[in-house]
C-alpha cells in the first residue's frame, strides 16, 4: 500500500504546474541550521535537498577519490544495518535517498511520505553519522569506481576533460578527476574513508532546502535530529584555483575518426555586476536555443558538427567560459577557425538588438519550466543559497535578464571575450591541427 501511495505521489508531483512565483520561508533551527522551506500540503510528501560545500576538492594529498568513494558507501549500511538491511529498510519505508560527490559539493537528496517522516529521518541520520564502511561494501563500490575509471580511458570526451583540467589547474584539486585514478582508488583504506567523512560531512558547510508537506516547526525538529552528531567543522576549503591556460591549441593524439574539442578562457563570477549581460551574451553565442551563432555558423551553414554549445562555468574557486563540439578529423581545423572568428566577432562588435531581444525572450520564457516538481524546486533553492542569492531571486531573476541593454552587452563582450586567450584541447587525429 505504501508503494502505491508513493508511486501516486511521484506521478502527481512531476506534473506540478510550471511556475516561477514561489513563497520561500527562511528559517533557523534551534541548533542553528539555516534552511529554506516551501510548504506545499497538496500531497503528503516532502523533498529535502542538502549540500555540503567542499566536495571532492577536500581529498587529502595522495588520496584522490576518497570523498567520491566515501559518498558511494553512504547507502551501503549504517549502525546496526548492513547493506542489505539498509536497502530493505529504505524500501519498506518507500523513501528515496541519493548521494553525489562533485568538485565543490557533496549532495544529499531525500524524498519521503509524511507518515514515514520520523523513520526516514532516523535512517538518513544513520547514513550520515554512522556509515559502516564494511570491507565487503568497500570492495564492491571500489570495483564499480574502477570500472568507471577504466571506461574513461577510451572516452575521448573524458580524455579531453582531464587534459584540460590538468593544464588549467595543475596541482590544485580541480586539476585532477574527482573520482581519482586507478592507482589512488586502489590504495584507499577504511581509515581514509573515515577521514573523508569527517572532512566533508560537517555542520560548518551545510545548506538545506525543503519543499512539501511539512511545517516550519516540524522541519526544524527534523533537521536538528537529522544532523545531530555531525562534526562542527570539516577540513579547510582549498585555495582559489587560478586558471593558467593561455591562448592556443593542444592536440591529444587518439585513434578515432571523429575528434572532440573543448575550448574556453577565463570567465566571470556569479557576483560580478556584469554577470547577467554575460549570461545573455553566452546565450547568443552558444547557448541552449538552436539559434545561437555557433550553431548557425558551425552546424547549419557548414555542416561541421552535429552540435556545439557554450556555457558560463562558475565553480566555487574558478570561473571560465567553456564550449564543446565534435567534428570529423578532416573538418576539425575549419571548425576551430570558425569558432575563433565568432569569438573575435562578438568581442569586437557585440550583438544586435534582434539577438538581444530573442535571447531575453528565450531565457525568461524557459525559466518557469524549471520548476516542475518538489525535488527540482528544493534543488534550485539550495543552489541559490550556495550562490548567496536572496529568497526573492526567483521573482526578480527575469527582471534582471530583461534589464540588460544593448550597450551593456557590447561593453561586457569587449571586456570578457578575448580571442587571444581562447584555448582548444582537441582529442583525436585532426588534419591540419597542431599543438602550439
Amino acid at each position: 500500500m505504501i508503494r502505491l501511495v508513493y508511486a501516486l505521489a511521484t506521478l502527481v508531483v512531476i506534473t506540478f504546474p510550471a511556475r516561477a512565483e514561489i513563497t520561500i520561508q527562511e528559517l533557523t533551527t534551534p541548533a542553528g541550521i539555516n534552511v529554506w522551506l516551501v510548504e506545499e500540503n497538496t500531497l503528503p510528501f516532502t523533498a529535502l535537498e542538502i549540500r555540503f560545500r567542499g566536495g571532492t576538492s577536500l581529498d587529502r594529498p595522495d588520496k584522490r577519490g576518497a570523498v567520491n568513494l566515501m559518498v558511494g558507501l553512504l547507502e551501503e549500511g549504517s549502525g546496526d544495518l548492513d547493506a542489505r538491511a539498509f536497502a530493505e529498510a529504505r524500501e519498506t519505508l518507500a523513501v528515496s535517498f541519493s548521494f553525489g560527490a562533485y568538485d565543490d559539493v557533496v549532495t544529499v537528496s531525500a524524498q519521503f511520505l509524511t507518515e514515514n517522516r520520523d523513520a526516514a529521518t532516523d535512517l538518513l541520520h544513520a547514513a550520515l553519522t554512522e556509515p559502516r564502511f564494511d570491507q565487503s561494501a568497500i570492495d564492491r563500490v571500489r570495483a564499480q569506481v574502477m570500472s568507471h575509471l577504466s571506461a574513461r580511458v577510451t572516452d575521448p570526451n573524458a580524455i579531453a576533460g582531464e587534459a584540460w583540467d590538468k593544464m588549467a589547474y595543475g596541482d590544485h584539486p580541480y586539476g585532477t578527476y574527482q573520482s581519482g585514478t586507478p592507482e589512488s582508488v586502489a590504495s584507499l583504506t577504511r581509515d581514509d574513508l573515515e577521514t573523508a567523512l569527517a572532512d566533508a560531512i560537517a555542520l560548518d558547510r551545510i545548506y538545506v532546502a525543503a519543499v512539501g508537506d511539512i511545517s516550519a516547526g516540524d522541519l526544524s525538529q527534523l533537521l536538528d535530529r537529522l544532523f545531530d552528531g555531525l562534526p562542527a567543522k570539516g577540513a579547510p576549503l582549498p585555495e582559489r584555483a587560478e586558471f593558467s591556460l593561455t591562448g592556443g591549441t593542444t592536440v591529444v593524439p587518439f585513434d578515432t575518426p571523429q575528434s572532440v574539442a573543448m575550448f574556453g578562457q577565463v570567465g566571470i563570477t556569479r557576483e560580478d555586476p556584469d554577470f547577467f549581460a554575460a549570461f545573455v551574451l553566452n546565450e547568443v553565442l552558444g547557448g541552449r536555443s538552436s539559434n545561437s551563432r555557433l550553431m548557425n555558423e558551425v552546424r547549419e551553414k557548414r555542416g561541421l558538427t552535429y552540435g556545439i554549445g557554450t556555457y558560463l562555468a562558475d565553480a566555487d574557486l574558478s570561473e571560465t567560459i567553456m564550449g564543446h563540439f565534435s567534428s570529423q578529423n578532416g573538418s576539425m581545423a575549419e571548425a576551430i577557425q570558425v569558432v575563433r572568428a565568432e569569438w573575435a566577432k562578438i568581442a569586437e562588435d557585440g550583438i544586435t538588438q534582434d539577438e538581444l531581444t530573442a535571447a531575453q525572450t528565450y531565457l525568461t520564457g524557459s525559466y518557469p519550466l524549471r520548476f516542475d516538481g518538489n525535488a527540482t524546486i528544493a534543488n534550485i533553492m539550495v543552489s541559490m543559497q550556495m550562490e548567496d542569492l536572496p529568497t526573492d531571486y526567483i521573482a526578480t531573476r527575469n527582471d534582471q535578464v530583461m534589464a540588460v541593454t544593448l550597450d551593456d552587452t557590447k561593453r561586457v563582450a569587449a571586456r570578457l571575450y578575448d580571442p587571444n586567450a581562447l584555448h582548444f584541447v582537441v582529442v583525436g587525429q585532426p588534419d591540419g591541427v597542431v599543438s602550439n
Side-chain angles (χ1 to χ4, degrees), residues 213 309 325:
D213 180 36
F325 67 94

Side-chain angles (χ1 to χ4, degrees), residues 210-223:
V211 179
D213 180 36
I214 189 166
S215 67
D218 288 342
L219 179 60
S220 292
Q221 293 181 18
L222 180 153
L223 294 179

Side-chain angles (χ1 to χ4, degrees), residues 282-355:
N282 177 71
E283 184 58 35
V284 173
L285 178 63
R288 286 171 291 180
S289 73
S290 59
N291 294 319
S292 73
R293 287 187 179 184
L294 291 180
M295 283 290 283
N296 283 329
E297 296 296 330
V298 182
R299 172 179 168 165
E300 300 300 331
K301 290 185 179 178
R302 297 173 177 83
L304 302 176
T305 185
Y306 287 110
I308 182 170
T310 60
Y311 55 95
L312 304 180
D314 178 29
D316 279 0
L317 304 171
S318 181
E319 307 79 33
T320 51
I321 309 171
M322 296 295 300
H324 180 273
F325 67 94
S326 59
S327 187
Q328 297 294 317
N329 287 331
S331 57
M332 178 56 80
E334 182 182 0
I336 290 175
Q337 185 179 29
V338 174
V339 173
R340 286 195 182 281
E342 290 303 316
W343 213 266
K345 182 179 177 182
I346 201 168
E348 183 173 348
D349 301 331
I351 62 177
T352 67
Q353 182 60 55
D354 287 346
E355 288 176 322

Side-chain angles (χ1 to χ4, degrees), residues 391-424:
T391 54
D392 67 352
Y393 173 78
I394 294 172
T396 63
R397 179 265 195 191
N398 277 357
D399 292 339
Q400 296 181 75
V401 172
M402 294 304 297
V404 174
T405 68
L406 192 60
D407 286 343
D408 291 334
T409 60
K410 289 184 177 179
R411 174 178 53 79
V412 175
R415 169 196 164 189
L416 195 59
Y417 289 94
D418 181 359
N420 294 321
L422 184 59
H423 196 101
F424 287 78

Side-chain angles (χ1 to χ4, degrees), residues 377-398:
I377 296 171
N379 190 32
I380 291 172
M381 290 199 303
V382 79
S383 297
M384 288 168 55
Q385 294 176 61
M386 295 196 70
E387 293 177 348
D388 200 25
L389 298 174
T391 54
D392 67 352
Y393 173 78
I394 294 172
T396 63
R397 179 265 195 191
N398 277 357

Side-chain angles (χ1 to χ4, degrees), residues 243-267:
F243 183 79
S244 57
L245 264 177
T246 56
T249 303
T250 300
V251 177
V252 181
F254 187 74
D255 186 12
T256 175
Q258 181 167 274
S259 299
V260 301
M262 291 182 64
F263 58 96
Q265 61 155 93
V266 171

Side-chain angles (χ1 to χ4, degrees), residues 8 58 67 74-76 105 116 148 176 183 191 235 240 253 263 310 334 382 393:
L8 178 61
L58 298 173
V67 170
L74 292 179
E75 271 197 294
E76 297 294 328
V105 67
N116 296 332
H148 167 68
T176 54
E183 294 75 20
D191 287 345
R240 181 171 171 76
F263 58 96
T310 60
E334 182 182 0
V382 79
Y393 173 78

